[in-house]
Amino acid sequence: MDETAAGATPKAALTSVMALFASAGPGGLVVRRLLPAAVGALVVIVFLRLEGPQLGLYGTEVEILLLTLAAGGAIAGLLFYFAFRLDRDEAARGEAEGALRRSSRYFDLSSDMVCTAGFDGVFKELNAAWTETLGWSEAELCSRPFVEFVHPDDRETTEREATGLAAGGVTVNFMNRYATKDGRWRWIEWKAIAILEEGLIYASARDITGRKAAEAALEASERQTRQILETAHDAFVSIDADGLITAWNPQAEANFGWSSHEALGRELAATIIPEAHREAHRRGLEHFLATGEGPVLGKRLELTALHRDGREFPIELTMSDLETEQGFSFNAFIRDITERRASRELLERQRQQLIEAQSVGGFGSWEWDLVTGTIERSDELCRIYGLEPGSHPGSVEAMAPAHPDDRARWQSDVQATLESGAPLSIEFRIVMPDGSVRVMHSRGELVHDEHGTPLRVIGTTQDITERHELERAKDEFTSIVSHELRTPLTSIRGSLGLLESGVLGELPAQGQRMVEIAVQNTDRLVRLIDDILDIERINSGQIDMNPGPCDARELIARASDAVAALAAAANVSVLIDAEPVHFSADGDRVIQTLTNLISNAVKFSPPASSVRVSCSRRDGEVLFEVSDEGRGIPAENVETVFGRFQQVDASDSREKGGTGLGLAICRSIVDQHGGRIWAHSVPGHGATFSFLLPAPVGDVADRGPST
Ligand code: ADP
């Protein structure tokens, strides 16, 4: 029964009647039409019943009429009832249709993918979101079992989930991958329920591919961060706002002796901070949390840390703060700088030792930066130059000798080092601030970058004034003695020669041998004295160089002739490779130089090897080179061998019959010509002696060979 008509209070019944009357439905229409007629009939019946007899309107017709009216009333009542039912059913149907229309709108409008599927594993109905997400039409999705759209790796779990649903289960947050029409995969998250009576699964699904990708990216980045921290060479430590350790990487374990298992959750201060600094750390943390002020945050600090075994060691640390939903945390990279500090201290000690050594040895060091053109000088060097230590004029000119006579040579020697890369070794005079003149000896070496570009020259300068004075005095003495010896020696040699030749009579065999030895040694002594006098005369300018037209090839030929007998005796071949270079020089002196170099090369060559002599024209210069395949010269001697009486090995003079003056004479001759001489050697692989003499193009080159 309907509740409106039956179970209601009179008031409610009246309300529903009024509603029916006002209703736009068919019931309302019928009621509105019939009600006036029913009311009219009722009025007529009541009137006839009350007034009929008095008016004589009562009888069979009236009875029939009354019955008819009563029947009409009953019919009207019934009609009223049915109209009422009709109207209510119509309203209910309309409402149901409205609800259906609304839910179908929700179904279509939902951005989630909504669907029903049968227990046969096939979709029955899908909303538009499915096509939007996967690209398949509804018909395509409903044409085959849904599991066929699922990624092969997810099929098993999908089937298990569907079986569970069919058995009355509920699916929440189940995930699988669905194929899109263009061949890709999308991650779908499901909520579903099965209605067993309907044989249908109702499901709502959501495309979570983006979320999955973001989660994967986050996970990868977290993994990467973890890996970085685990393999970092620095210790990484985090603490929370309470100062408790929340991160502790393997390097932290190694540095501080606490395993991560032990360290996590411990108070940082009590773990790695020496007792004396703990309070300061705690106060700093409190201060930051209260005020936001952290003066040490983000700065590189050098502190002392505590190892688990009680040992304290220096660390370098940078700390930063991070505020998250969980509150503040502080992260720090910590480096054990024990070794660095030790090497810094060692370096400082060595620097001090170097300063002391420089001051004791009376030499200073310098570094000339070729890029900026500035020169760095040690304090001792400043002292040597008579300047205040620490006064660094910065320009290379500060290194240049102030003595005008030496300036040009100084510049050309430095230039030559820069161009050829040969070691620098120059003696020059400087005028001190008090006007006195002092002699300096600078040595330097060129430093290149990896492309061979010269970067700087580093070297030392020593005040050799006293030594120079001594050497001068010694030379003077030697020269005087030599002069005094030369004349009696010549006469001794003459007498011995006469004795040896037998002009004065036959000597006994033993006497003859003794005289021969005496002749050999006297010759050696004469050579030595000649060399000493020679070098003395060249250096003191007593011997003027007599320049004249020279042909380099001819000079080489004459020099090699002079050593031909020596070469033959040593079984060494002298090979000549000379260009026809014409230039102006003192030919005899150049031959003397070449003879010296070639005879040295022959002396130090193994039998059956070759000595090569070459000459070629360079930019305004002629280059002579003499190379051999002998034992070579150690790097530390390539420069010193040009000094007087300098020999690589003390036995050289005995075994090879040298005086140790040959190369010094060569250098003097070359210097007097304004040239340069140097040696280069790879020990064990021979030596090359080179010298350059000025040969300006067009000087004598066009005049043809000299006679
Ligand atoms: P010496 O009269 O002793 O040869 P030098 O001044 O000519 O004097 O040479 C000095 C020293 O240089 C030699 O004693 C030798 O030790 C070394 N020297 C010179 N030339 C060569 C060379 N071609 N190979 C190896 N060492 C050499």
Side-chain angles (χ1 to χ4, degrees), residues 596-597 600-604 628 630-633 641-643 646-649 652-653 657-664 687 689:
N596 220 323
L597 297 181
N600 274 354
V602 168
K603 277 194 293 185
F604 292 99
D628 61 62
R631 63 166 197 209
I633 303 170
V641 287
F642 290 98
Q646 295 291 331
Q647 285 167 322
V648 172
D649 198 311
D652 284 354
S653 89
T659 60
L661 283 171
L663 290 176
F689 283 81

PDB file of all heavy atoms in Angstrom, residues 596-597 600-604 628 630-633 641-643 646-649 652-653 657-664 687 689, ligand 1:
ATOM      1  N   ASN A 596     139.366  21.634 -31.063  1.00  0.00           N
ATOM      2  CA  ASN A 596     139.188  21.220 -29.676  1.00  0.00           C
ATOM      3  C   ASN A 596     137.970  20.319 -29.503  1.00  0.00           C
ATOM      4  O   ASN A 596     138.030  19.253 -28.871  1.00  0.00           O
ATOM      5  CB  ASN A 596     139.000  22.490 -28.842  1.00  0.00           C
ATOM      6  CG  ASN A 596     139.727  22.363 -27.537  1.00  0.00           C
ATOM      7  OD1 ASN A 596     139.768  21.283 -26.960  1.00  0.00           O
ATOM      8  ND2 ASN A 596     140.308  23.456 -27.068  1.00  0.00           N
ATOM      9  N   LEU A 597     136.854  20.758 -30.098  1.00  0.00           N
ATOM     10  CA  LEU A 597     135.602  19.987 -29.945  1.00  0.00           C
ATOM     11  C   LEU A 597     135.725  18.634 -30.639  1.00  0.00           C
ATOM     12  O   LEU A 597     135.299  17.606 -30.094  1.00  0.00           O
ATOM     13  CB  LEU A 597     134.417  20.761 -30.519  1.00  0.00           C
ATOM     14  CG  LEU A 597     134.083  22.092 -29.835  1.00  0.00           C
ATOM     15  CD1 LEU A 597     132.871  22.741 -30.491  1.00  0.00           C
ATOM     16  CD2 LEU A 597     133.785  21.871 -28.348  1.00  0.00           C
ATOM     17  N   ASN A 600     138.058  16.355 -28.689  1.00  0.00           N
ATOM     18  CA  ASN A 600     137.343  15.834 -27.510  1.00  0.00           C
ATOM     19  C   ASN A 600     136.414  14.702 -27.916  1.00  0.00           C
ATOM     20  O   ASN A 600     136.365  13.648 -27.282  1.00  0.00           O
ATOM     21  CB  ASN A 600     136.496  16.930 -26.861  1.00  0.00           C
ATOM     22  CG  ASN A 600     137.300  17.746 -25.864  1.00  0.00           C
ATOM     23  OD1 ASN A 600     138.440  17.428 -25.584  1.00  0.00           O
ATOM     24  ND2 ASN A 600     136.693  18.804 -25.342  1.00  0.00           N
ATOM     25  N   ALA A 601     135.646  14.942 -29.006  1.00  0.00           N
ATOM     26  CA  ALA A 601     134.667  13.946 -29.457  1.00  0.00           C
ATOM     27  C   ALA A 601     135.381  12.647 -29.806  1.00  0.00           C
ATOM     28  O   ALA A 601     134.923  11.559 -29.445  1.00  0.00           O
ATOM     29  CB  ALA A 601     133.893  14.489 -30.652  1.00  0.00           C
ATOM     30  N   VAL A 602     136.516  12.777 -30.495  1.00  0.00           N
ATOM     31  CA  VAL A 602     137.263  11.574 -30.877  1.00  0.00           C
ATOM     32  C   VAL A 602     137.774  10.860 -29.617  1.00  0.00           C
ATOM     33  O   VAL A 602     137.649   9.647 -29.474  1.00  0.00           O
ATOM     34  CB  VAL A 602     138.431  11.953 -31.823  1.00  0.00           C
ATOM     35  CG1 VAL A 602     139.382  10.773 -32.002  1.00  0.00           C
ATOM     36  CG2 VAL A 602     137.893  12.419 -33.173  1.00  0.00           C
ATOM     37  N   LYS A 603     138.312  11.676 -28.665  1.00  0.00           N
ATOM     38  CA  LYS A 603     138.877  11.077 -27.442  1.00  0.00           C
ATOM     39  C   LYS A 603     137.833  10.265 -26.670  1.00  0.00           C
ATOM     40  O   LYS A 603     138.132   9.237 -26.088  1.00  0.00           O
ATOM     41  CB  LYS A 603     139.406  12.196 -26.518  1.00  0.00           C
ATOM     42  CG  LYS A 603     140.809  12.678 -26.878  1.00  0.00           C
ATOM     43  CD  LYS A 603     141.412  13.509 -25.762  1.00  0.00           C
ATOM     44  CE  LYS A 603     140.679  14.819 -25.557  1.00  0.00           C
ATOM     45  NZ  LYS A 603     141.292  15.701 -24.569  1.00  0.00           N
ATOM     46  N   PHE A 604     136.584  10.785 -26.675  1.00  0.00           N
ATOM     47  CA  PHE A 604     135.554  10.106 -25.865  1.00  0.00           C
ATOM     48  C   PHE A 604     134.677   9.153 -26.686  1.00  0.00           C
ATOM     49  O   PHE A 604     133.638   8.721 -26.232  1.00  0.00           O
ATOM     50  CB  PHE A 604     134.698  11.147 -25.131  1.00  0.00           C
ATOM     51  CG  PHE A 604     135.477  11.867 -24.065  1.00  0.00           C
ATOM     52  CD1 PHE A 604     136.019  13.125 -24.290  1.00  0.00           C
ATOM     53  CD2 PHE A 604     135.722  11.247 -22.841  1.00  0.00           C
ATOM     54  CE1 PHE A 604     136.765  13.772 -23.316  1.00  0.00           C
ATOM     55  CE2 PHE A 604     136.466  11.889 -21.860  1.00  0.00           C
ATOM     56  CZ  PHE A 604     136.993  13.155 -22.095  1.00  0.00           C
ATOM     57  N   ASP A 628     129.111  13.063 -31.025  1.00  0.00           N
ATOM     58  CA  ASP A 628     129.787  11.761 -30.999  1.00  0.00           C
ATOM     59  C   ASP A 628     128.850  10.717 -30.423  1.00  0.00           C
ATOM     60  O   ASP A 628     127.713  11.019 -30.055  1.00  0.00           O
ATOM     61  CB  ASP A 628     131.078  11.853 -30.171  1.00  0.00           C
ATOM     62  CG  ASP A 628     130.785  12.239 -28.744  1.00  0.00           C
ATOM     63  OD1 ASP A 628     130.076  11.479 -28.056  1.00  0.00           O
ATOM     64  OD2 ASP A 628     131.249  13.330 -28.298  1.00  0.00           O
ATOM     65  N   GLY A 630     129.828   8.669 -27.912  1.00  0.00           N
ATOM     66  CA  GLY A 630     130.553   8.201 -26.723  1.00  0.00           C
ATOM     67  C   GLY A 630     129.689   8.139 -25.479  1.00  0.00           C
ATOM     68  O   GLY A 630     128.458   8.072 -25.549  1.00  0.00           O
ATOM     69  N   ARG A 631     130.345   8.221 -24.331  1.00  0.00           N
ATOM     70  CA  ARG A 631     129.639   7.998 -23.057  1.00  0.00           C
ATOM     71  C   ARG A 631     128.704   9.146 -22.688  1.00  0.00           C
ATOM     72  O   ARG A 631     127.838   9.024 -21.828  1.00  0.00           O
ATOM     73  CB  ARG A 631     130.665   7.827 -21.933  1.00  0.00           C
ATOM     74  CG  ARG A 631     131.483   9.104 -21.765  1.00  0.00           C
ATOM     75  CD  ARG A 631     132.267   9.190 -20.523  1.00  0.00           C
ATOM     76  NE  ARG A 631     132.629  10.581 -20.338  1.00  0.00           N
ATOM     77  CZ  ARG A 631     133.711  10.996 -19.711  1.00  0.00           C
ATOM     78  NH1 ARG A 631     134.537  10.118 -19.198  1.00  0.00           N
ATOM     79  NH2 ARG A 631     133.940  12.277 -19.583  1.00  0.00           N
ATOM     80  N   GLY A 632     128.883  10.313 -23.341  1.00  0.00           N
ATOM     81  CA  GLY A 632     128.020  11.456 -23.024  1.00  0.00           C
ATOM     82  C   GLY A 632     128.453  12.158 -21.752  1.00  0.00           C
ATOM     83  O   GLY A 632     129.473  11.797 -21.148  1.00  0.00           O
ATOM     84  N   ILE A 633     127.669  13.175 -21.365  1.00  0.00           N
ATOM     85  CA  ILE A 633     128.020  13.991 -20.193  1.00  0.00           C
ATOM     86  C   ILE A 633     126.795  14.059 -19.279  1.00  0.00           C
ATOM     87  O   ILE A 633     125.695  14.354 -19.745  1.00  0.00           O
ATOM     88  CB  ILE A 633     128.399  15.422 -20.633  1.00  0.00           C
ATOM     89  CG1 ILE A 633     129.548  15.361 -21.651  1.00  0.00           C
ATOM     90  CG2 ILE A 633     128.776  16.285 -19.449  1.00  0.00           C
ATOM     91  CD1 ILE A 633     129.823  16.686 -22.322  1.00  0.00           C
ATOM     92  N   VAL A 641     131.487  21.817 -17.574  1.00  0.00           N
ATOM     93  CA  VAL A 641     132.675  21.424 -18.352  1.00  0.00           C
ATOM     94  C   VAL A 641     133.311  22.609 -19.076  1.00  0.00           C
ATOM     95  O   VAL A 641     134.469  22.538 -19.499  1.00  0.00           O
ATOM     96  CB  VAL A 641     132.374  20.300 -19.384  1.00  0.00           C
ATOM     97  CG1 VAL A 641     132.176  18.986 -18.680  1.00  0.00           C
ATOM     98  CG2 VAL A 641     131.191  20.659 -20.262  1.00  0.00           C
ATOM     99  N   PHE A 642     132.546  23.723 -19.188  1.00  0.00           N
ATOM    100  CA  PHE A 642     133.115  24.894 -19.855  1.00  0.00           C
ATOM    101  C   PHE A 642     133.982  25.726 -18.895  1.00  0.00           C
ATOM    102  O   PHE A 642     134.572  26.716 -19.296  1.00  0.00           O
ATOM    103  CB  PHE A 642     132.001  25.778 -20.436  1.00  0.00           C
ATOM    104  CG  PHE A 642     131.320  25.134 -21.622  1.00  0.00           C
ATOM    105  CD1 PHE A 642     130.124  24.455 -21.489  1.00  0.00           C
ATOM    106  CD2 PHE A 642     131.918  25.192 -22.884  1.00  0.00           C
ATOM    107  CE1 PHE A 642     129.517  23.848 -22.567  1.00  0.00           C
ATOM    108  CE2 PHE A 642     131.309  24.582 -23.976  1.00  0.00           C
ATOM    109  CZ  PHE A 642     130.107  23.907 -23.820  1.00  0.00           C
ATOM    110  N   GLY A 643     134.003  25.300 -17.622  1.00  0.00           N
ATOM    111  CA  GLY A 643     134.837  26.020 -16.649  1.00  0.00           C
ATOM    112  C   GLY A 643     136.292  25.561 -16.761  1.00  0.00           C
ATOM    113  O   GLY A 643     136.591  24.502 -17.331  1.00  0.00           O
ATOM    114  N   GLN A 646     137.884  21.978 -15.485  1.00  0.00           N
ATOM    115  CA  GLN A 646     136.703  21.191 -15.113  1.00  0.00           C
ATOM    116  C   GLN A 646     136.658  19.939 -15.978  1.00  0.00           C
ATOM    117  O   GLN A 646     136.715  20.019 -17.198  1.00  0.00           O
ATOM    118  CB  GLN A 646     135.411  22.001 -15.331  1.00  0.00           C
ATOM    119  CG  GLN A 646     135.278  23.209 -14.437  1.00  0.00           C
ATOM    120  CD  GLN A 646     135.059  22.793 -12.991  1.00  0.00           C
ATOM    121  OE1 GLN A 646     134.498  21.744 -12.712  1.00  0.00           O
ATOM    122  NE2 GLN A 646     135.522  23.620 -12.063  1.00  0.00           N
ATOM    123  N   GLN A 647     136.531  18.829 -15.292  1.00  0.00           N
ATOM    124  CA  GLN A 647     136.403  17.568 -16.026  1.00  0.00           C
ATOM    125  C   GLN A 647     135.309  16.740 -15.377  1.00  0.00           C
ATOM    126  O   GLN A 647     135.070  16.866 -14.175  1.00  0.00           O
ATOM    127  CB  GLN A 647     137.741  16.820 -15.992  1.00  0.00           C
ATOM    128  CG  GLN A 647     138.723  17.490 -16.949  1.00  0.00           C
ATOM    129  CD  GLN A 647     140.142  17.037 -16.760  1.00  0.00           C
ATOM    130  OE1 GLN A 647     140.576  16.831 -15.635  1.00  0.00           O
ATOM    131  NE2 GLN A 647     140.856  16.912 -17.855  1.00  0.00           N
ATOM    132  N   VAL A 648     134.660  15.930 -16.208  1.00  0.00           N
ATOM    133  CA  VAL A 648     133.562  15.127 -15.660  1.00  0.00           C
ATOM    134  C   VAL A 648     134.134  14.142 -14.649  1.00  0.00           C
ATOM    135  O   VAL A 648     133.589  13.929 -13.587  1.00  0.00           O
ATOM    136  CB  VAL A 648     132.812  14.397 -16.796  1.00  0.00           C
ATOM    137  CG1 VAL A 648     131.807  13.405 -16.235  1.00  0.00           C
ATOM    138  CG2 VAL A 648     132.139  15.402 -17.712  1.00  0.00           C
ATOM    139  N   ASP A 649     135.242  13.569 -15.010  1.00  0.00           N
ATOM    140  CA  ASP A 649     135.849  12.550 -14.165  1.00  0.00           C
ATOM    141  C   ASP A 649     137.315  12.925 -13.939  1.00  0.00           C
ATOM    142  O   ASP A 649     137.992  13.345 -14.871  1.00  0.00           O
ATOM    143  CB  ASP A 649     135.755  11.201 -14.918  1.00  0.00           C
ATOM    144  CG  ASP A 649     135.959  10.047 -13.968  1.00  0.00           C
ATOM    145  OD1 ASP A 649     136.947  10.104 -13.206  1.00  0.00           O
ATOM    146  OD2 ASP A 649     135.131   9.112 -13.980  1.00  0.00           O
ATOM    147  N   ASP A 652     139.867  11.713 -16.348  1.00  0.00           N
ATOM    148  CA  ASP A 652     139.868  12.129 -17.748  1.00  0.00           C
ATOM    149  C   ASP A 652     141.209  12.729 -18.171  1.00  0.00           C
ATOM    150  O   ASP A 652     141.680  12.487 -19.279  1.00  0.00           O
ATOM    151  CB  ASP A 652     138.747  13.148 -18.016  1.00  0.00           C
ATOM    152  CG  ASP A 652     137.384  12.447 -18.079  1.00  0.00           C
ATOM    153  OD1 ASP A 652     137.376  11.194 -18.038  1.00  0.00           O
ATOM    154  OD2 ASP A 652     136.363  13.140 -18.177  1.00  0.00           O
ATOM    155  N   SER A 653     141.795  13.525 -17.274  1.00  0.00           N
ATOM    156  CA  SER A 653     143.019  14.199 -17.689  1.00  0.00           C
ATOM    157  C   SER A 653     144.162  13.193 -17.829  1.00  0.00           C
ATOM    158  O   SER A 653     144.954  13.253 -18.734  1.00  0.00           O
ATOM    159  CB  SER A 653     143.364  15.323 -16.704  1.00  0.00           C
ATOM    160  OG  SER A 653     144.156  14.839 -15.663  1.00  0.00           O
ATOM    161  N   GLY A 657     144.666  12.559 -21.533  1.00  0.00           N
ATOM    162  CA  GLY A 657     145.736  13.534 -21.753  1.00  0.00           C
ATOM    163  C   GLY A 657     145.258  14.960 -21.861  1.00  0.00           C
ATOM    164  O   GLY A 657     145.922  15.805 -22.463  1.00  0.00           O
ATOM    165  N   GLY A 658     144.101  15.291 -21.314  1.00  0.00           N
ATOM    166  CA  GLY A 658     143.584  16.663 -21.440  1.00  0.00           C
ATOM    167  C   GLY A 658     144.067  17.550 -20.310  1.00  0.00           C
ATOM    168  O   GLY A 658     144.662  17.100 -19.329  1.00  0.00           O
ATOM    169  N   THR A 659     143.769  18.835 -20.478  1.00  0.00           N
ATOM    170  CA  THR A 659     144.169  19.805 -19.455  1.00  0.00           C
ATOM    171  C   THR A 659     142.960  20.369 -18.712  1.00  0.00           C
ATOM    172  O   THR A 659     143.103  21.040 -17.701  1.00  0.00           O
ATOM    173  CB  THR A 659     144.899  20.984 -20.115  1.00  0.00           C
ATOM    174  OG1 THR A 659     143.993  21.601 -21.042  1.00  0.00           O
ATOM    175  CG2 THR A 659     146.141  20.531 -20.830  1.00  0.00           C
ATOM    176  N   GLY A 660     141.790  20.140 -19.258  1.00  0.00           N
ATOM    177  CA  GLY A 660     140.584  20.709 -18.637  1.00  0.00           C
ATOM    178  C   GLY A 660     140.420  22.175 -18.984  1.00  0.00           C
ATOM    179  O   GLY A 660     139.572  22.865 -18.408  1.00  0.00           O
ATOM    180  N   LEU A 661     141.195  22.631 -19.969  1.00  0.00           N
ATOM    181  CA  LEU A 661     141.103  24.048 -20.338  1.00  0.00           C
ATOM    182  C   LEU A 661     140.515  24.234 -21.740  1.00  0.00           C
ATOM    183  O   LEU A 661     140.115  25.334 -22.111  1.00  0.00           O
ATOM    184  CB  LEU A 661     142.494  24.686 -20.293  1.00  0.00           C
ATOM    185  CG  LEU A 661     143.021  25.002 -18.894  1.00  0.00           C
ATOM    186  CD1 LEU A 661     144.472  25.413 -18.964  1.00  0.00           C
ATOM    187  CD2 LEU A 661     142.185  26.099 -18.254  1.00  0.00           C
ATOM    188  N   GLY A 662     140.472  23.139 -22.511  1.00  0.00           N
ATOM    189  CA  GLY A 662     140.021  23.232 -23.913  1.00  0.00           C
ATOM    190  C   GLY A 662     138.676  23.921 -24.072  1.00  0.00           C
ATOM    191  O   GLY A 662     138.536  24.877 -24.843  1.00  0.00           O
ATOM    192  N   LEU A 663     137.680  23.460 -23.334  1.00  0.00           N
ATOM    193  CA  LEU A 663     136.326  24.020 -23.512  1.00  0.00           C
ATOM    194  C   LEU A 663     136.252  25.452 -22.989  1.00  0.00           C
ATOM    195  O   LEU A 663     135.503  26.274 -23.521  1.00  0.00           O
ATOM    196  CB  LEU A 663     135.286  23.143 -22.806  1.00  0.00           C
ATOM    197  CG  LEU A 663     135.043  21.772 -23.465  1.00  0.00           C
ATOM    198  CD1 LEU A 663     134.065  20.936 -22.644  1.00  0.00           C
ATOM    199  CD2 LEU A 663     134.516  21.946 -24.886  1.00  0.00           C
ATOM    200  N   ALA A 664     137.059  25.732 -21.941  1.00  0.00           N
ATOM    201  CA  ALA A 664     137.081  27.100 -21.426  1.00  0.00           C
ATOM    202  C   ALA A 664     137.628  28.031 -22.513  1.00  0.00           C
ATOM    203  O   ALA A 664     137.111  29.140 -22.719  1.00  0.00           O
ATOM    204  CB  ALA A 664     137.924  27.174 -20.172  1.00  0.00           C
ATOM    205  N   ALA A 687     127.428  12.924 -26.973  1.00  0.00           N
ATOM    206  CA  ALA A 687     127.263  14.335 -26.613  1.00  0.00           C
ATOM    207  C   ALA A 687     127.298  15.161 -27.887  1.00  0.00           C
ATOM    208  O   ALA A 687     127.874  14.736 -28.893  1.00  0.00           O
ATOM    209  CB  ALA A 687     128.387  14.765 -25.688  1.00  0.00           C
ATOM    210  N   PHE A 689     128.195  19.119 -28.997  1.00  0.00           N
ATOM    211  CA  PHE A 689     128.637  20.473 -28.648  1.00  0.00           C
ATOM    212  C   PHE A 689     128.249  21.383 -29.796  1.00  0.00           C
ATOM    213  O   PHE A 689     128.483  21.055 -30.957  1.00  0.00           O
ATOM    214  CB  PHE A 689     130.160  20.496 -28.425  1.00  0.00           C
ATOM    215  CG  PHE A 689     130.540  19.929 -27.093  1.00  0.00           C
ATOM    216  CD1 PHE A 689     130.633  18.555 -26.899  1.00  0.00           C
ATOM    217  CD2 PHE A 689     130.779  20.764 -26.010  1.00  0.00           C
ATOM    218  CE1 PHE A 689     130.958  18.032 -25.656  1.00  0.00           C
ATOM    219  CE2 PHE A 689     131.107  20.250 -24.771  1.00  0.00           C
ATOM    220  CZ  PHE A 689     131.192  18.878 -24.588  1.00  0.00           C
TER     221      PHE A 689
HETATM  222  P1  ADP B   1     140.136  18.312 -21.683  1.00  0.00           P
HETATM  223  O1  ADP B   1     141.412  18.879 -22.092  1.00  0.00           O
HETATM  224  O2  ADP B   1     140.156  17.576 -20.387  1.00  0.00           O
HETATM  225  O3  ADP B   1     139.435  17.603 -22.759  1.00  0.00           O
HETATM  226  P2  ADP B   1     138.046  20.167 -22.033  1.00  0.00           P
HETATM  227  O4  ADP B   1     137.763  21.465 -21.405  1.00  0.00           O
HETATM  228  O5  ADP B   1     138.148  20.113 -23.491  1.00  0.00           O
HETATM  229  O6  ADP B   1     139.300  19.586 -21.333  1.00  0.00           O
HETATM  230  O7  ADP B   1     136.922  19.171 -21.561  1.00  0.00           O
HETATM  231  C1  ADP B   1     136.554  19.151 -20.217  1.00  0.00           C
HETATM  232  C2  ADP B   1     135.924  17.844 -19.848  1.00  0.00           C
HETATM  233  O8  ADP B   1     134.669  17.739 -20.497  1.00  0.00           O
HETATM  234  C3  ADP B   1     136.655  16.621 -20.318  1.00  0.00           C
HETATM  235  O9  ADP B   1     137.700  16.286 -19.421  1.00  0.00           O
HETATM  236  C4  ADP B   1     135.579  15.591 -20.295  1.00  0.00           C
HETATM  237  O10 ADP B   1     135.381  15.131 -18.956  1.00  0.00           O
HETATM  238  C5  ADP B   1     134.371  16.394 -20.727  1.00  0.00           C
HETATM  239  N1  ADP B   1     134.117  16.260 -22.182  1.00  0.00           N
HETATM  240  C6  ADP B   1     134.493  17.124 -23.143  1.00  0.00           C
HETATM  241  N2  ADP B   1     134.071  16.698 -24.350  1.00  0.00           N
HETATM  242  C7  ADP B   1     133.443  15.531 -24.151  1.00  0.00           C
HETATM  243  C8  ADP B   1     132.800  14.573 -24.999  1.00  0.00           C
HETATM  244  N3  ADP B   1     132.695  14.744 -26.327  1.00  0.00           N
HETATM  245  N4  ADP B   1     132.245  13.445 -24.426  1.00  0.00           N
HETATM  246  C9  ADP B   1     132.339  13.277 -23.091  1.00  0.00           C
HETATM  247  N5  ADP B   1     132.919  14.139 -22.231  1.00  0.00           N
HETATM  248  C10 ADP B   1     133.492  15.253 -22.758  1.00  0.00           C
END
